[in-house]
Amino acid sequence: MAIRRAPSKAQVRREQMLAAVNYPLDWLEERSGLVGGVRYFLFRKVPSDTNWMQTLGSATLTAFIVQALTGVILAMYYKPSPHDAYASIQNITDHVTMGWLVRGMHKWGASVFIILLFLHMGRVFLFGAYKYPRELNWIVGVLLLVLGLTEGFTGYLLPWDQTAYWASVVGINLNGTAPFLGPWLAQFLRGGQEISGDTLSRFYSLHMLIIPGGIIALITLHLYLVIRLGVTSPPWSKEAAGREVVEEPAPVRTGLTRPAPHGGGRD
Amino acid sequence: MAEEKPTPLELRRAGFARYKKDVKERGKSFYPFAMFEDTVMSLVVVAVIVGLAVLWKWTSYGPHHDGLHKGVIGPEYAPPADPGTVSFVPRPDWYFYFLFYLLRIFKWPESVFLGTIGVPTIALILLLALPFMDVRLERRPSRRPVAMVAAVLTIMSMAILTWKGATAKEALASEVIADVPSWVKTEKLPAAAVPGAKLFATAGCTACHTYLGTGGSNLGAPDLTNIGTRNLGISFQIRHLECPSCVNPGSPMPKFASLGTARLRQLAIFLESSKGKQ
Ligand code: HEM
């Protein structure tokens, strides 16, 4: 029979601490399963040979989060009317405490976001990661690219300075040259025959509600698919997960042509 | 007994099942391994964004106390929007330069549609269709020559168009006005056309149109050196300037109604007198 010593005071205290820390987590887990969800996300397996290029997707996400946070702060000071917009932009940049930093991050973050979108897309292309079973995620990605560019287009008008105004006049007119939908689209964007206060509030609403809402929904779907399907390993890697390991005789070269390998190469 | 050849779909499913098994057996945990790299990259991204904001502020407003100053990467803001001054050269943000330049290649009205809508729409359709056009299982770049050549060509053309768009010469009113006397000589313009010629040089027309080799050639706008030979008439010219898209449905040219009828008439006289080199 084992002799059970009474636990020391320190031990008791440690156990009480642990229970106190775990209690809210257990409470949450019991009622939502969220803790298990996060644990699954964090401790899921990914290929052992992932490459630095595969960080570009989450870097794009980070840039988007920067845009969302700085955008919310800008919206507290920005006034979307032709009369006040320019002055409110001057006020944010030159007077509000750290306003220049918030606006600067939003303005330049937009370019960084667009660059990262293209780099991430390039990496997916290079890896052939748009192939079965990830076709749908590629399509979601292309839609994200389009929405990202639209976000840039609508945001450009908001400072209501000469650059903004004339780029948008021409941009909207160009949309109008499209067949069928073009004139209707131009009319919708302007909110009338001329660029006016209506155009500005329309662009503002598109820029800070509708398009970001779409982007957030699509990012959620995108990440769901990334987690469900897993990320590819670099196609050139020796470890390449999913690669078919077939012992086949060295291909016999016949002149310039080479016989096709069995089973259509690697995945 | 002959062995059944697996269908392409069966091959793909088998490949993906193998992938799942490999990752389960030989994979690494996302946290902390992959997440560490993601975090480092994200910190770099945030640092670059903050760095750009600081560079922008400290070289534009910082030393000059004037947000209009250009600085190293651009001013804080341009002068306030003014629908009355049409002399401003329209320029989109840099990531639209490739589109902007594409429009210099296609000319209004026959083919501008290709530049604005045609090429981008085709590019978008190709992007969306890519996973269904390229259905081989092969993922190694060295075994996908067609895809790699297509990618390099795409990147090169985007880079060249963006570069050309960035360095495109802008027609500044202050420089174009100096050409007016030579226009008068070359085209033998009557005295009544001179005020219109000066307006043409300064009101922003040359941001897109060319005249005797001067001007922007943007958005597919036609050359106007001998627009007068088409004898469109003064009243047509005025109506067109007031609202281009009302006369030419779909025209991307901005409205110039803000110049007022008197000045539009001067412009119209100048245009109607422009019969090319005499
Ligand atoms: C807001 C924009 C986007 C965000 C936040 C985002 C985020 C991510 C993340 C975090 C991953 C995981 C792997 C990695 O980081 O590379 C990923 C994978 C992927 N992304 Fe994106 N992405 C975006 C846009 C795009 C675009 C524009 C495309 C392509 C047109 C795309 C196509 C894909 C595909 C096919 C995968 C799976 C790659 C693999 O399994 O190796 N995404 N994305």
Side-chain angles (χ1 to χ4, degrees):
Chain A
M1 215 175 102
I3 306 156
R4 292 186 63 177
R5 277 201 295 151
S8 73
K9 242 189 190 162
Q11 253 174 332
V12 171
R13 210 170 291 143
R14 193 175 323 130
E15 261 156 43
Q16 281 173 336
M17 278 270 280
L18 258 179
V21 169
N22 275 334
Y23 181 78
L25 286 181
D26 291 341
W27 187 95
L28 192 65
E29 173 64 9
E30 190 182 339
R31 283 159 186 80
S32 68
L34 279 177
V35 179
V38 171
R39 188 172 296 160
Y40 173 79
F41 170 75
L42 286 177
F43 298 103
R44 83 203 136 98
K45 288 280 172 59
V46 295
S48 56
D49 51 358
T50 55
N51 179 288
W52 274 95
M53 274 189 265
Q54 282 165 290
T55 62
L56 289 167
S58 59
T60 316
L61 178 62
T62 302
F64 178 74
I65 293 172
V66 168
Q67 291 310 96
L69 295 180
T70 52
V72 166
I73 301 176
L74 287 176
M76 295 173 184
Y77 295 90
Y78 173 77
K79 301 198 175 65
S81 84
H83 187 254
D84 302 319
Y86 187 74
S88 70
I89 286 289
Q90 275 187 317
N91 180 44
I92 291 169
T93 346
D94 298 333
H95 302 294
V96 174
T97 312
M98 300 294 259
W100 64 270
L101 181 62
V102 175
R103 176 165 175 241
M105 286 179 72
H106 197 75
K107 180 182 160 74
W108 296 103
S111 291
V112 171
F113 176 60
I114 302 273
I115 293 176
L116 285 170
L117 272 172
F118 277 108
L119 289 179
H120 171 55
M121 187 167 96
R123 168 328 255 176
V124 170
F125 187 88
L126 182 69
F127 278 35
Y130 52 84
K131 299 187 176 201
Y132 178 90
R134 300 184 180 83
E135 301 97 324
L136 183 59
N137 218 10
W138 170 267
I139 291 174
V140 174
V142 174
L143 297 180
L144 278 168
L145 178 71
V146 172
L147 283 187
L149 288 170
T150 326
E151 192 68 346
F153 177 66
T154 49
Y156 205 55
L157 176 65
L158 302 185
W160 203 250
D161 60 8
Q162 286 282 63
T163 322
Y165 184 85
W166 290 104
S168 302
V169 168
V170 172
I172 293 176
N173 286 355
L174 287 179
N175 278 309
T177 62
F180 314 119
L181 283 182
W184 176 84
L185 182 64
Q187 174 92 9
F188 167 77
L189 285 173
R190 272 192 299 259
Q193 284 302 321
E194 307 288 338
I195 288 213
S196 64
D198 289 343
T199 320
L200 185 56
S201 27
R202 228 155 250 236
F203 271 48
Y204 187 53
S205 151
L206 285 170
H207 183 76
M208 64 170 277
L209 293 170
I210 303 173
I211 304 171
I215 292 183
I216 291 170
L218 285 177
I219 289 182
T220 310
L221 179 59
H222 197 67
L223 296 184
Y224 166 75
L225 288 174
V226 166
I227 294 168
R228 180 184 162 94
L229 300 171
V231 292
T232 48
S233 36
W236 49 78
S237 146
K238 288 216 175 56
E239 256 298 297
R243 183 170 70 195
E244 191 168 14
V245 211
V246 265
E247 312 299 332
E248 50 176 293
V252 189
R253 275 178 182 276
T254 48
L256 285 172
T257 58
R258 218 187 306 184
H262 300 288
R266 326 175 182 186
D267 177 26
Chain B
M1 219 175 88
E3 217 181 290
E4 287 256 5
K5 244 191 128 204
T7 66
L9 185 61
E10 280 164 354
L11 278 175
R12 280 183 223 175
R13 288 190 177 142
F16 188 58
R18 242 176 1 250
Y19 162 85
K20 281 283 183 196
K21 188 162 158 285
D22 285 354
V23 170
K24 199 167 173 191
E25 287 168 2
R26 294 186 272 128
K28 64 186 176 194
S29 168
F30 173 70
Y31 173 89
F33 304 107
M35 198 162 155
F36 170 74
E37 297 180 352
D38 282 338
T39 310
V40 172
M41 188 57 115
S42 288
L43 289 176
V44 171
V45 166
V46 174
V48 167
I49 295 176
V50 171
L52 285 169
V54 169
L55 182 66
W56 173 69
K57 178 73 184 177
W58 285 1
T59 59
S60 169
Y61 187 86
H64 306 277
H65 285 270
D66 170 15
L68 297 169
H69 189 87
K70 274 217 164 53
V72 176
I73 48 177
E76 286 183 345
Y77 29 73
D82 179 0
T85 52
V86 267
S87 65
F88 203 81
V89 182
R91 240 171 203 287
D93 213 348
W94 67 267
Y95 41 85
F96 288 118
Y97 279 176
F98 71 98
L99 267 183
F100 174 73
Y101 200 79
L102 209 52
L103 299 181
R104 289 192 163 204
I105 300 173
F106 298 100
K107 289 288 167 211
W108 178 263
E110 300 82 25
S111 60
V112 71
F113 157 70
L114 279 178
T116 54
I117 308 297
V119 173
T121 308
I122 292 170
L124 187 61
I125 292 175
L126 285 179
L127 270 183
L128 286 171
L130 172 69
F132 308 102
M133 297 187 305
D134 177 13
V135 290
R136 284 165 65 230
L137 288 177
E138 181 60 65
R139 295 202 297 114
R140 283 165 296 180
S142 57
R143 308 283 174 93
R144 294 157 61 214
V146 178
M148 289 305 126
V149 169
V152 169
L153 289 179
T154 309
I155 293 170
M156 268 173 29
S157 40
M158 291 279 282
I160 291 174
L161 285 173
T162 302
W163 174 250
K164 291 286 232 174
T167 53
K169 204 170 150 282
E170 288 173 9
L172 296 174
S174 54
E175 293 170 12
V176 179
I177 188 94
D179 288 339
V180 170
S182 85
W183 292 352
V184 173
K185 242 197 355 243
T186 318
E187 300 231 355
K188 298 224 162 42
L189 296 176
V194 175
K198 288 185 178 153
L199 264 176
F200 182 80
T202 51
C205 313
T206 51
C208 298
H209 292 281
T210 47
Y211 192 92
L212 285 171
T214 308
S217 183
N218 272 319
L219 310 177
D223 178 62
L224 296 179
T225 309
N226 42 29
I227 180 72
T229 57
R230 291 172 59 192
N231 291 317
L232 295 165
I234 302 278
S235 68
F236 172 89
Q237 292 290 7
I238 294 179
R239 265 186 298 130
H240 176 257
L241 289 168
E242 277 173 341
C243 176
S245 59
C246 307
V247 188
N248 268 338
S251 166
M253 175 169 150
K255 295 172 183 169
F256 286 80
S258 60
L259 288 175
T261 327
R263 286 196 282 174
L264 290 183
R265 177 169 296 279
Q266 295 176 335
L267 267 175
I269 294 172
F270 162 70
L271 292 172
E272 284 301 292
S273 320
S274 298
K275 309 277 188 198
K277 278 188 190 133
Q278 298 292 321

